[in-house]
């Protein structure tokens, strides 16, 4: 249990932060991208924000989208935001904003401004800790830059799992490689999900950039490839699991990424990922279909190429080749699909994809859909878009599709003809011929059987042009064609009596057989001749029997190939030429016009030839006048039974010939060249009657006959292609005053009236007409200028009065859309009324009603139509009848009455009202003031039912108001006249009041703003409820639209309201109090980022001079303890100029004065008086705004800018005037509010702020005026303000300096004459600052002020302290001018310093102040401190060091003493130290030693040499410190640690002296020092003083030899005698003796160690030392320094005899009775042997007996050490010494 609890507490501790852990907070604050850690830790948020905000402003200039973050992340309020103090919800909201900013800035993190902006988020919001993943992801594209390493350095140590791959790079502070990132994405599922989520979030927010998407695409593609490769390892079951896991991770990304329509890069990346998946995995058909549909969901022109590549890869392994209908339709909707596939073929394998498209296209054509897409199949097969094996599959599918269409119960002729044409074109194409033969061969298709079934030739019997067939091959093909032709003739009868014209029955089997035979014979003249001679065609009687002519006309006008069409026209030319009978063949005229407009130039040329043949026939006809002409159309029943509503019209012979000669023949050449020439020409000629380039005009009668002829012929022909080309042409012909073509076409439509959909389908099927195209063609003939046409169109859409096929109605609605803009107003009204009746009641099941409504919604209806629609609405009173009847009556009526309103009628009325209002709203062109009356009537009815919860009531209110707004906008923009009585502003206000929906409220507010523009006088009496509502509703909304509504309301409604306030009696602010209170009350509910803009807009409209102070006062009164309000008011004031701000402050203080009088009318209405809030509370709360305003650096800068404009600037004059007025008022308030402490304190703060912002020069003048007042309180406030300014302000210019020096006299006067101690203190502080800042500009005035200040007698210690600060400043300014006053001031300084040290009146501040003054003297005129003054200063310093332990006193005193050592003459300083040494020794020598050391350090070498005798004396005195401090006569006996500390410092001083002396000077001194200990005689047995000196000497000697090393080895001559003496005389008998011996040994060791001059090689030096050292071996445990010293000695001497002596002495101890002595001797031998090696073992022979004895020593420790020594010897010698020992 305890373990679990501990673990839980540990986890909580890790996630928690201690608010009192300041070190942790400083560490967190020092984490920075831009600054070093120490610099970052010293920055405050104010300065940091300025740096970062500059970067943010630069980003805003680059991209305006950053502006949205100026109100949150980079607002002034962000400086005080602390995540630790925020709630969880607030932190979550902040995280959303931060992540949005990181998404936007992620593409610019290589720029300095972006780094600055992110720096603020890191330092203020710790995004690297709280938003770690988002931060790293934002920087990830720049992982190779140094800034990424900086980011890694500040990341928390325990990063989340998605970022664990960064741990090695965080530790090594290195940039991660691109490969590492790719590997992490592929392996780390969390990181994969994180980066994808970040990118998707970026795209949804609209912040994605090409930079980031490009980086993401690169790494994600590589990572997915790795994932896919990795999933394909292992057993089959494991592979399947891994593949499913990979798909599970990828599919959500693909599903969401493919919907990003606005980011082509994102979609292309998803295509790339799909390509990787489909190339590696075998996806099932369902998954592939889903992925394909996702691809087409939002693809654009920019992503088409990439999407097609993806389709090609997806279909490569697809089981089913055909595509889903949705995918197919979308792909075929690409206009450039043919070219795109041709381009893709060059680089990718698109065979299976194109085959799938082809087969899907054929499937759709078989079903009768997308027949026009047959051109795609033609393109694929004719342009080698497929490889051979895939092309064979496509051709086979084509043949199968033809068979399916042919064998269906109702074959679709259009589809059949299209596919036949493709197959025929392939058969006659040299390039595709081989493919067709290969298909038949490989698929084992019987060509003859297929041809018989599909009635077309698939094996061409022709020799292609340019072929290289041999004569034998040609004969063989001709023979095959003849056989096929013979087979085809078998199905053709010799005669027929049922079919005389093939234009009567389009499903004729005989025509099919003839067409098959004709297609075979078309390319063979011999076969064609045989075909023409068939008896069934009756070639000899073409004028009597239309069989032959109708056959060729049908082939010509059908969807046959261009080759067959050309052959048919040529046959007609040949037949008519050969026919000797004279006939009027006008039946062919419409086909002539049709052919002359064909896109194929060859067909147009053949048609022109036919025209010339017919023209020649008419010439023959005119010559044979005796023979009556034959009219085929009438006599031979060319079309069979004509339309019941129209009979065929025939031209007379002259008119027929004239048509050819005047309308066609002259323009044949133009027709040959341009297919689009003829129809516009004929339209113009027949409509206007004028010929081109001729004055000849065609008679109206002739044109009328031609028009009627063309119309009836076009209507009569059953060939749809002919109708499609000519019907729009004839319908647009209008002969003014006679007739129009559209009128003649109407019978075609009228015969369809009354038909239902099945009947209409049957009608079209019999005539082989495509439904959609034919219906659109018929309705397209309706003209907007023909009344009968419009009447018929109106009848078609009137579903209540007539019945029409649904398709006709749909096309009629479409036609209305097309011609609406050309209709006259009466026609629009007629059709609008019909549409309304057709649309309502609106039902989801009635598709025609829905379409009628959509048309109404889309049309631009005139105002009369809109008014009619509104007037025809059912009475809205029915909405409330059911609810108004008593319950019992209602039940009774429901049971017994048939006339009661149905339950669904109110909802039906409401639905109709909604629809009509939506139509009115969408018809801005129909806006008219006349609409106001019905609209306000509707609004009145709707507001009556406000208590009912009807569906759509609120929405209808919104729609009605929106319509009213549209009309009002039209009135204001067009300055249109209208009836003002129709406007009901009160109804709009009611909507605002009763509706709970923000949408209705917003529209109502906007409507009121429009009313304020149009009829402002009507709004004045109803406006106040608006703002009462706004304060409780709309102002609290957070959306942008509500903000727009409020702005519009304020801009439009406030101006007339202000005019009304001005007309009222009394104060305008009081009159507007209700309005102001509305906004003030809503403040806390407003969105924070909206408040400032709303109040700025409000005050701008009301007038800032009067209402800015009132708003400010009311805000503080309403929210007295809200810091946000104060910050808000500062920002609000910044919106205005400096003069307005100062005027506002002046007026604001007036309002505060008014609060002091409870009876004042303003306070009663503007402020809240309660028993809980006293008068003092209100007034003081209001006064708190003044320091807040002027405490803002921005406001202060703005006012100073206004003052800087100069005396002549009007703004400057206004600012000064209002400032003087405001300051006077606050001073008076302070004086008059005696006893009201709270108000007086507030007044003081206000006065300080009013004084604090003035320029320094002006502040001196103002304070001088205030000092003339008698009130000490006022003087004190003024002086304190001046003091604060002088401490913080810049020095300013000459004007400021002159004003300051002139004011110095007044300050001294206050100091001398004032009775108020606080005034004196403030004046003294000001004088200090003036002297410090401006004293050097006028030294004379400063000298006078200083002399005056000497006579001042301070009454308090504080004043004394301040006076010494003044004196210190005066010394710095006066320099040598201060000499004359020094003798007067120095005694006072000594007295007060001595008093401050006294235990009775110890005063730290006074102590430090005097020292500061002394430091100033030493810094400026140091030579004044000498002799008596120096001795006194040193003695007082010694006393101070004993009296004070405060670090501040120590620092101040040390600084002065350092100046003394630095600036004072060396001799004077050393002499002073010498004179005061005894005193220092009696108290505390620390200060003396510090000064001594500093003096030596600062002195030059020459000065030190010059004072060597004095230095030697002082050095001996400080070396005697140990003896003195241990003596019984010392007042304060020191501990050993204190003595060691002082002694070490003394030795340091001695070494500093040595550094600056040469050998000739120092050697005598060192000799003197070495003899110095012996100068003390030994009294009895007390040799302690001598030992103390000897300890100090040898400690110094040790440091001396250790510091200067071999340079001073010769000085060892002075230490040998005393050392030998000490070592020989009881070296360890006492503690002091043992300490001394150790010092001697250390000194000797140092001397031995650094000997490089062979000093110790001299025979005279070693012998004296060896015996005493050897004798000390038994005491080596007490003297640990002994053995190293002997070893060093042995190393430094090379004399064998000395080695022998030393060895013998050591070996002698081997036979000591004391085991410890023996052990010490052995250890010494081991040490020497180790150090000297072979050189020492030269004495081995002497050692062996002793070793042998010691190996059998009774002491185990000795024996073990001897054995160790033996091993060491053997190791050095390299041989065993056993034999030697024996």
């Amino acid at each position: 249990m305890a373990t679990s609890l501990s673990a839980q507490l540990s986890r909580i501790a890790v996630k928690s932060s201690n608010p009192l852990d300041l070190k942790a907070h400083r560490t967190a604050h020092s984490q920075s991208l831009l600054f070093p850690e120490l610099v970052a830790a010293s920055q405050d948020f104010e300065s940091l924000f300025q740096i970062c905000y500059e970067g943010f402003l630069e980003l805003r200039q680059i991209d305006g989208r950053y502006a949205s973050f100026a109100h949150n992340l980079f607002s002034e309020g962000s400086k005080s935001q602390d995540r630790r103090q925020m709630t969880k919800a607030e932190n979550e909201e902040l995280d959303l904003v931060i992540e949005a900013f990181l998404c936007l800035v992620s593409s610019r993190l290589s720029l300095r401004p972006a780094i600055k902006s992110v720096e603020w988020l890191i330092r203020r919001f710790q995004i690297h800790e709280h938003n770690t993943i988002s931060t790293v992801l934002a920087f990830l594209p720049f992982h190779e830059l140094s800034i990424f390493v900086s980011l890694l350095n500040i990341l928390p140590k325990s990063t989340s799992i998605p970022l664990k791959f960064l741990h090695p790079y965080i530790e090594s502070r290195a940039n991660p490689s691109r490969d590492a990132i790719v590997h992490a994405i592929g392996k780390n599922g969390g990181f994969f999900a994180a980066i994808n989520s970040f990118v998707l979030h970026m795209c949804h927010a609209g912040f994605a950039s090409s930079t980031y998407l490009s980086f993401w695409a690169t790494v994600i593609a590589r990572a997915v490839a790795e994932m896919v490769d990795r999933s394909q390892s292992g057993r089959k079951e494991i592979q399947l699991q891994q593949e499913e896991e990979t798909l599970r991770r990828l599919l959500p990304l693909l599903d969401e990424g493919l919907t990003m329509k606005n980011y082509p890069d994102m979609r292309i990346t998803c295509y790339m990922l799909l390509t990787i998946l489909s190339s590696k995995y075998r996806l099932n058909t369902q998954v592939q279909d889903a992925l394909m549909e996702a691809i087409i969901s939002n693809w654009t022109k920019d992503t088409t190429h990439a999407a097609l590549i993806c389709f090609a890869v997806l279909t490569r392994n697809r089981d089913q080749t055909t595509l889903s209908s949705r995918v197919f339709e979308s792909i075929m909707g690409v206009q450039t699909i043919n070219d795109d596939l041709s381009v893709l073929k060059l680089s990718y394998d698109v065979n299976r994809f194109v085959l799938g498209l082809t087969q899907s296209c054929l499937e759709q054509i078989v079903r009768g859909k997308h027949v026009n897409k047959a051109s795609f199949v033609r393109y694929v097969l004719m342009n080698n878009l497929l490889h051979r094996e895939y092309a064979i599959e496509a051709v086979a599918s084509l043949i199968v599709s033809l068979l399916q269409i042919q064998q269906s119960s109702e074959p679709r002729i259009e589809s059949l003809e299209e596919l036949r044409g493709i197959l025929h074109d392939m058969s006659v194409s040299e390039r595709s011929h081989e493919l067709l033969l290969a298909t038949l061969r490989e698929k084992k298709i019987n060509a003859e059987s297929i041809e018989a079934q599909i009635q077309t030739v698939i094996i061409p019997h022709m020799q292609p042009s340019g072929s290289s067939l041999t004569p034998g091959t040609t004969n063989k093909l001709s023979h095959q064609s003849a056989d096929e032709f013979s087979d085809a003739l078998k199905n053709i009868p010799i005669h027929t009596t049922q079919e005389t014209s093939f234009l009567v029955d389009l499903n004729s089997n005989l025509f099919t057989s003839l067409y098959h035979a004709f297609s075979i014979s078309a390319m063979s003249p011999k076969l064609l001749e045989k075909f023409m001679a068939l008896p069934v065609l009756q070639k000899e009687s073409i004028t009597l029997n239309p069989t032959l002519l109708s056959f060729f006309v049908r082939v010509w006008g059908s969807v046959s190939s261009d080759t067959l069409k050309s052959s048919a026209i040529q046959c007609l030319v040949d037949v008519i030429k050969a026919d000797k009978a004279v006939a009027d063949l006008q039946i062919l005229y419409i086909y002539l016009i049709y052919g002359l407009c064909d896109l194929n130039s060859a067909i147009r040329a053949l048609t022109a030839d036919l025209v010339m043949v017919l023209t020649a026939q008419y010439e023959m006809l005119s010559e044979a006048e005796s023979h009556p002409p034959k009219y085929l159309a009438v006599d031979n029943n060319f079309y069979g039974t004509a339309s019941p509503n129209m009979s065929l019209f025939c031209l007379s012979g002259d008119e027929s010939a004239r048509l050819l000669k005047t309308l066609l023949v002259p323009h044949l050449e133009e027709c040959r060249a341009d297919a689009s020439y003829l129809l516009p020409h004929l339209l113009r000629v027949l409509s206007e009657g004028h010929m081109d380039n001729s004055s000849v005009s065609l008679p109206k009668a002739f044109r009328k006959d031609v028009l009627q002829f063309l119309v009836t012929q076009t209507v009569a022909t059953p060939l749809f292609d002919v109708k499609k080309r000519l019907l729009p042409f004839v319908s647009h012909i209008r002969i003014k005053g006679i007739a129009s073509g559209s009128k003649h076409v109407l019978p075609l439509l009228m015969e369809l009236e009354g038909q239902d959909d099945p009947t209409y389908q049957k009608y079209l099927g019999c005539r082989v007409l495509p439904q959609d195209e034919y219906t659109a063609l018929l309705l397209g003939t309706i003209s907007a200028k023909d009344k009968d046409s419009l009447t018929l169109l109106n009848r078609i859409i009137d579903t209540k009065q007539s019945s029409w096929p649904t398709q006709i109605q749909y096309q009629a609605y479409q036609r209305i859309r097309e011609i609406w803009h050309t209709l006259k107003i009466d026609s629009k009204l007629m059709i609008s009324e019909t549409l309304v009746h057709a649309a309502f009641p609106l039902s989801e099941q009635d598709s025609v009603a829905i379409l009628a409504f959509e048309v109404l919604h889309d049309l631009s209806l005139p105002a009369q139509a809109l008014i009619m629609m509104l007037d025809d609405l059912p009475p809205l009173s029915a909405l409330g009848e059911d609810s108004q009847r008593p319950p019992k009556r209602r039940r009774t009526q429901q049971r017994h009455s048939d006339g009661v309103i149905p339950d669904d009628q109110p909802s039906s009325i409401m639905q109709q009202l909604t629809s009509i209002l939506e139509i009115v709203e969408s018809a801005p062109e129909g806006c008219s003031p006349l609409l106001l009356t019905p609209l306000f009537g509707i609004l009145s009815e709707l507001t009556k039912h406000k208590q009912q919860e009807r569906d759509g009531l609120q929405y209808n209110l919104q729609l009605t108001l929106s319509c009213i707004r549209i009309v009002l906008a039209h009135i204001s923009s067009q300055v249109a006249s209208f009836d003002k009585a129709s406007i009901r502003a009160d109804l709009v206000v009611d909507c605002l009041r009763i509706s709970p929906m923000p949408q209705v409220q917003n529209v109502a507010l906007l409507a009121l703003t429009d009313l304020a523009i149009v009829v402002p006088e009507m709004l004045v009496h109803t406006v106040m409820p608006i703002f009462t509502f706004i304060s409780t509703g709309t102002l609290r909304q957070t959306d942008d639209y509500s903000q727009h509504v409020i702005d519009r309301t304020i801009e439009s409604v406030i101006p007339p309201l202000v005019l009304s306030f001005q007309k009222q009696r009394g104060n305008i602010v009081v009159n507007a109090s209700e309005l102001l209170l509305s906004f003030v009350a809503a403040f806390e509910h407003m969105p924070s980022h909206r408040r400032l803009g709303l109040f700025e807009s409000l005050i701008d409209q009301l007038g800032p001079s009067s209402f800015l102070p009132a708003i400010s006062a009311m805000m503080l009164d309403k929210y007295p303890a809200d810091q946000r309000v104060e910050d808000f008011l500062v920002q609000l004031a910044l919106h205005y100029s400096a003069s307005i701000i100062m005027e506002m402050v002046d007026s604001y203080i007036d309002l505060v004065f008014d609060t002091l009088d409870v009876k004042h009318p303003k306070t009663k209405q503007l402020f809240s008086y309660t028993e809980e809030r006293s008068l003092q509370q209100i007034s003081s709360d209001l006064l708190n705004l003044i320091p807040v305003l002027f405490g803002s650096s921005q406001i202060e800068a703005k006012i100073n800018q206004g003052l800087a404009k100069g005396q002549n600037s009007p703004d400057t004059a206004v600012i000064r005037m209002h400032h003087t007025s405001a300051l006077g008022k606050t001073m008076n308030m302070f004086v008059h509010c005696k006893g009201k402490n709270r108000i007086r304190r507030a007044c003081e703060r206000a006065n300080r702020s009013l004084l604090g912002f003035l320029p320094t020069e002006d502040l001196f003048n103002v304070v001088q005026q205030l000092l003339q007042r008698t009130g000490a309180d006022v003087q004190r406030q003024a002086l304190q303000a001046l003091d604060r300014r002088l401490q913080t302000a810049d020095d300013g210019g000459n004007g400021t300096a002159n004003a300051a020096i002139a004011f110095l006299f007044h300050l001294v006067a206050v100091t001398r004459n004032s009775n108020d101690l606080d005034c004196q203190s403030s004046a003294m502080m000001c004088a200090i600052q003036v002297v410090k800042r401006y004293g050097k500009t006028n030294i004379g005035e400063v000298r006078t002020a200083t002399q005056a200040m000497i006579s001042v007698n301070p009454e308090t210690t504080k004043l004394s302290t301040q006076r010494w600060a003044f004196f210190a400043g005066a010394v710095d300014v006066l320099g040598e001018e201060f000499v004359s006053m020094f003798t007067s001031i120095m005694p006072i300084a000594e007295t007060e310093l001595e008093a401050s040290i006294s235990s009775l009146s110890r005063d730290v501040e006074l102590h430090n102040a005097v020292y500061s003054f002394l430091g100033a003297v030493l810094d400026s005129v140091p030579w004044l401190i000498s002799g008596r003054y120096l001795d006194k200063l040193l003695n007082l310093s010694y006393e101070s060091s004993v009296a004070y332990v405060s670090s501040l006193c120590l620092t101040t005193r040390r600084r002065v003493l350092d100046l003394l050592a630095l600036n004072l003459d060396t001799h004077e300083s050393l002499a002073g130290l010498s004179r005061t040494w005894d005193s220092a020794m009696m108290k505390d020598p620390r200060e003396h030693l510090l000064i001594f050391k500093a003096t030596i350090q600062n002195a030059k070498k020459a000065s030190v040499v010059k004072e060597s005798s004095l230095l030697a004396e002082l050095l001996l005195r400080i070396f005697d410190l140990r003896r003195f401090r241990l003596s019984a006569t010392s007042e304060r006996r020191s501990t050993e640690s204190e003595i060691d500390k002082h002694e070490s410092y003394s030795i340091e001083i001695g070494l500093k002296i040595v550094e600056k002396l040469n050998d000739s000077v120092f050697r005598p001194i060192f000799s003197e020092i070495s003899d110095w200990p012996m100068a003390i005689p030994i009294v009895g047995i007390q040799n302690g003083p001598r030992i103390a000196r000897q300890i100090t000497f040898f400690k110094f000697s040790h440091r001396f030899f250790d510091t200067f090393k071999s340079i001073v080895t010769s000085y060892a001559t002075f230490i040998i005698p005393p050392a030998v003496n000490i070592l020989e005389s009881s070296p360890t008998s006492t503690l002091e003796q043992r300490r001394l011996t150790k010092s001697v040994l250390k000194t000797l060791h140092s001397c031995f160690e650094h000997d490089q001059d062979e000093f110790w090689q001299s025979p005279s030096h070693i012998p004296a030392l060896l015996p005493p050292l050897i004798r000390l071996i038994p005491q080596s445990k007490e003297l640990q320094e002994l053995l190293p010293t002997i070893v060093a000695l042995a190393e430094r001497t090379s004399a064998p005899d000395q080695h022998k002596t030393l060895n013998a002495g050591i070996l002698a101890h081997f036979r000591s009775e004391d085991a410890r002595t023996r052990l010490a001797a052995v250890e010494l031998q081991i040490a020497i042997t180790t150090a000297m090696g072979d050189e020492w073992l030269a004495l081995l022979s002497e050692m062996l007996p002793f070793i042998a004895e010691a190996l059998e020593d009774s002491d185990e420790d000795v024996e073990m050490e001897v054995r160790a020594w033996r091993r060491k010897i053997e190791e050095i010698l390299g041989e065993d010494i056993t034999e030697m020992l024996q």
Side-chain angles (χ1 to χ4, degrees), residues 1352-1493:
V1352 173
N1353 186 18
E1355 298 183 14
T1356 63
T1357 304
K1358 181 180 180 181
L1359 290 175
S1360 296
T1361 302
Q1362 292 172 344
R1363 184 174 68 157
W1364 286 114
F1366 176 84
F1367 286 149
V1371 171
D1372 292 336
V1373 172
L1374 296 175
E1376 294 187 357
E1377 294 286 334
F1378 183 72
V1379 174
S1380 60
M1381 294 174 277
F1382 177 74
T1383 55
S1384 303
I1385 296 176
M1386 193 60 187
I1388 303 174
E1390 293 173 352
T1391 302
E1392 295 197 1
L1393 179 58
E1394 193 170 2
S1396 68
I1397 296 173
S1398 172
S1399 60
L1400 298 178
S1401 60
R1402 188 172 298 173
D1403 192 315
V1404 174
E1405 292 183 357
L1406 180 59
H1407 170 274
N1408 293 339
V1410 177
Y1411 264 107
S1412 297
F1413 161 73
L1414 294 173
V1417 174
L1418 287 169
D1419 195 23
S1420 299
V1421 281
W1423 47 271
L1424 291 177
I1425 306 293
S1426 61
R1428 186 183 66 81
Y1429 296 121
L1430 176 59
D1431 295 348
K1432 187 66 174 178
L1433 173 58
L1434 292 174
N1435 287 324
L1436 288 174
S1437 297
Y1438 304 153
E1439 294 179 5
S1440 172
S1441 66
V1442 175
Y1444 287 104
V1445 293
S1446 169
S1447 60
L1448 184 60
C1449 293
L1450 175 64
T1451 303
T1452 305
R1453 183 177 64 253
R1454 292 279 172 85
R1455 186 180 64 83
V1456 174
L1457 296 179
D1458 287 342
L1459 287 173
L1460 185 148
L1462 177 64
N1463 297 334
L1464 212 60
D1465 179 70
T1466 304
H1467 175 76
E1468 189 66 38
S1469 178
L1470 293 176
L1473 290 172
S1474 178
R1475 292 193 298 269
T1476 58
W1477 173 248
D1478 293 337
S1479 175
M1481 292 288 282
M1482 297 298 294
K1483 297 179 175 62
D1484 191 344
R1486 285 176 298 177
E1487 303 301 317
H1488 189 285
L1489 296 175
L1490 289 172
I1491 300 171
F1492 195 2
K1493 181 179 179 181

Side-chain angles (χ1 to χ4, degrees), residues 764-904:
L764 296 175
C766 293
R767 290 162 177 77
V768 196
L769 297 172
Q771 176 178 333
D772 295 342
E773 292 187 70
Y774 181 68
T775 307
L777 185 65
L778 287 183
L779 271 299
T781 61
I782 292 179
S783 172
K785 299 180 180 179
D786 186 64
K787 186 175 181 180
D788 294 337
S789 297
L790 294 176
T791 302
L792 178 61
L793 182 64
N794 193 57
R795 195 160 79 241
I796 292 174
I797 64 175
D798 189 0
T799 56
K800 305 293 192 299
Q801 303 297 329
S802 60
S803 175
W804 294 82
T806 305
Q807 189 65 26
I808 294 290
Q809 292 176 328
Y810 285 166
Q811 290 296 338
Y813 287 124
Q814 183 61 32
R815 186 58 180 165
I816 289 173
R817 284 190 174 99
E818 294 171 357
I819 66 174
W820 182 259
H821 66 284
T822 63
L823 294 179
K824 296 181 180 179
I825 187 66
D826 54 346
S827 300
K828 288 184 177 181
L829 291 176
M830 174 186 69
I831 294 176
S832 299
E833 184 175 4
T834 305
L835 287 173
V836 171
H837 292 158
F840 301 104
L842 195 61
S843 172
E844 294 182 0
Q845 288 75 29
D846 191 347
S847 59
V848 176
I850 293 174
L851 184 59
F853 173 73
E854 291 177 353
V855 173
L856 275 172
H857 194 277
D858 295 342
L859 297 179
S860 179
L861 300 176
Q864 295 89 331
L866 298 177
I867 294 172
M868 177 267 296
M869 292 166 60
L870 293 174
D871 290 340
D872 289 347
L873 281 170
L876 299 182
S877 57
L879 293 174
E881 290 185 9
D882 188 57
S883 61
Q884 292 172 0
R885 294 192 301 272
K888 181 177 180 180
R889 179 182 175 188
R890 189 160 60 243
R891 291 194 301 271
T892 305
Q893 287 184 352
Q894 289 174 354
R895 288 196 301 267
H896 303 293
S897 176
D898 295 333
V900 94
I901 298 175
D903 290 341
D904 60 345

Side-chain angles (χ1 to χ4, degrees), residues 166-190:
L166 289 176
H167 288 171
Y169 302 100
I170 294 175
E171 294 175 358
S172 62
R173 298 189 176 183
N175 293 90
S177 63
R178 181 68 59 92
D179 293 337
I181 295 174
V182 171
H183 184 70
I185 295 175
K187 290 283 289 183
N188 189 331

Side-chain angles (χ1 to χ4, degrees), residues 528-542:
L528 186 60
E529 185 177 352
K530 290 182 180 181
F531 176 80
M532 295 290 290
L534 289 175
V536 73
L537 294 177
Q538 302 180 32
K539 176 183 177 183
E540 294 78 9
S541 57
I542 62 172

Side-chain angles (χ1 to χ4, degrees), residues 657-705:
R658 189 174 187 179
L659 187 151
L660 286 175
K661 293 179 180 179
T662 60
L663 297 181
L664 297 182
V665 173
H667 305 284
L668 289 179
E669 292 303 320
E670 288 84 351
C671 293
R672 290 176 191 267
D674 186 4
S676 62
Y677 172 78
L678 184 60
L679 292 183
H681 166 71
L682 291 178
L683 179 61
R684 184 174 61 256
V685 171
L686 293 177
S687 297
E688 301 174 1
H690 299 290
M691 300 294 292
D692 292 341
N693 301 323
S694 176
S695 59
V696 178
S697 62
L698 298 177
K700 286 186 177 181
F702 171 70
R703 290 187 284 137
K704 177 183 178 183
D705 291 345

Side-chain angles (χ1 to χ4, degrees), residues 1575-1595:
I1576 297 181
I1578 298 176
V1579 180
I1581 60 172
Q1582 297 293 330
N1583 60 350
R1586 177 180 290 183
I1587 292 175
R1589 285 188 175 185
Q1590 287 176 331
I1591 290 174
T1592 301
F1593 168 70
F1594 278 101
K1595 279 188 175 182

